[in-house]
Amino acid sequence: MDAEVFLTYSNVSDADLRGRTVVVIDVLRACSTIVTALSRGARAVLPVPDMAEAGKIAGNLDPDVYRLGGERNGEKIEGYHLGNSPLDYTQDEVENRDVILNTTNGTRALSHATEAEHLVAGCFLNADRVVDFVQEVDDAVTIVCAGRQNRLALEDTLCAGLLLDRLWSSETPEVVTDSAHTAFTLYDTDRNHLSSALRGANHAEELVRQGREEDVTYCLQLDACPVLPYYTDNRLLAVDGPPADESSD
Ligand code: MLT
């Protein structure tokens, strides 16, 4: 399984993604929130890059059929129903509703990656599900870490490394790019004390300072929520596997 890894999304071009199977990772917290919302029965999650886009989509929907969620500086955006804590996304809030999600890095990274042939959202909660999907559809993958403010985020890089470890367990890659090597090596160094390494990540520490330790604990659970958010038609849907024409051969 050949793999390319981008440690932040900001320099990724459409050409880097076109025709590729792409996994966008934002462990803290956007992708963990997306996986959770879909597991609690949301019909779809619409990732948007900014307030304007969120408002435009919401303005065209019946107020009862959607929830507007997201954060700036970790805090719920004024006027939104929900913040970006996955724990906000209860069945009561999201079942049979669309979630319009607007976050600083994660939903921007997803909006940036829509040229992909296949685009899925990944995190620790659904790592196994993502690995199964990638192995089913392709022999190559591009992993895009959301990062933070154009910088590497340790939790996203370690999650990328874990995916590579699992993808490479059955098939050694022919080519290992420098960034894939970096993500894998960091993960390999920390694999036996992953939880403490992750808790020491800047973003995890910041969330704890904001009183959101529960979010950190929740988001760091491995394979706890086996949902696959697959991007199609401007939205992420929970799917069982690849689109029909991909799985038939
Ligand atoms: C983001 O998209 O930047 C995050 O998910 C931020 C957060 O929720 O703290």
Side-chain angles (χ1 to χ4, degrees):
M1 172 72 62
D2 287 332
E4 180 55 288
V5 175
F6 290 90
L7 299 172
T8 74
Y9 75 89
S10 36
N11 290 323
V12 180
S13 70
D14 287 352
D16 291 323
L17 304 174
R18 213 165 279 130
R20 302 279 299 183
T21 296
V22 175
V23 181
V24 168
I25 296 177
D26 185 5
V27 170
L28 297 173
R29 297 165 290 174
C31 292
S32 302
T33 295
I34 290 165
V35 163
T36 303
L38 292 172
S39 79
R40 302 271 155 77
R43 279 194 308 219
V45 177
L46 288 72
V48 297
D50 53 39
M51 306 285 181
E53 187 64 17
K56 202 162 82 187
I57 297 174
N60 288 323
L61 293 175
D62 171 345
D64 203 43
V65 302
Y66 73 90
R67 283 288 178 262
L68 199 44
E71 57 67 44
R72 283 297 175 271
N73 302 317
E75 302 295 344
K76 177 159 93 78
I77 298 168
E78 208 185 314
Y80 279 29
H81 303 100
L82 305 166
N84 193 30
S85 166
L87 307 179
D88 287 355
Y89 291 72
T90 59
Q91 189 171 350
D92 225 32
E93 285 289 352
V94 301
E95 191 171 35
N96 296 323
R97 292 193 166 108
D98 291 335
V99 173
I100 304 163
L101 192 64
N102 172 15
T103 73
T104 314
N105 302 284
T107 62
R108 286 184 182 153
L110 283 158
S111 307
H112 206 78
T114 55
E115 280 298 314
E117 175 76 20
H118 300 291
L119 172 58
V120 297
C123 56
F124 287 111
L125 295 173
N126 70 345
D128 240 2
R129 204 68 189 73
V130 167
V131 167
D132 286 348
F133 173 79
V134 170
Q135 283 172 331
E136 208 173 326
V137 290
D138 213 341
D139 53 9
V141 66
T142 299
I143 298 175
V144 177
C145 298
R148 285 186 87 202
Q149 276 87 29
N150 305 325
R151 293 169 179 77
L152 176 153
L154 184 60
E155 65 281 7
D156 295 345
T157 308
L158 288 175
C159 187
L162 174 122
L163 296 185
L164 294 177
D165 184 56
R166 291 180 175 186
L167 288 166
W168 289 346
S169 68
S170 53
E171 194 198 322
T172 318
E174 278 177 28
V175 181
V176 178
T177 66
D178 289 351
S179 50
H181 176 78
T182 302
F184 177 77
T185 305
L186 270 183
Y187 169 74
D188 201 34
T189 304
D190 284 339
R191 65 163 79 225
N192 293 327
H193 45 90
L194 194 56
S195 180
S196 60
L198 288 164
R199 283 174 186 280
N202 294 164
H203 195 178
E205 288 185 335
E206 196 174 309
L207 286 166
V208 170
R209 276 196 298 277
Q210 290 175 338
R212 303 183 194 284
E213 185 163 2
E214 255 193 293
D215 282 6
V216 175
T217 302
Y218 176 83
C219 294
L220 300 187
Q221 297 174 98
L222 195 48
D223 302 320
C225 196
V227 168
L228 185 69
Y230 183 88
Y231 187 87
T232 180
D233 200 15
N234 296 329
R235 62 199 58 222
L236 291 151
L237 303 174
V239 299
D240 289 332
D245 55 332
E246 299 289 329
S247 51
S248 54
D249 42 316

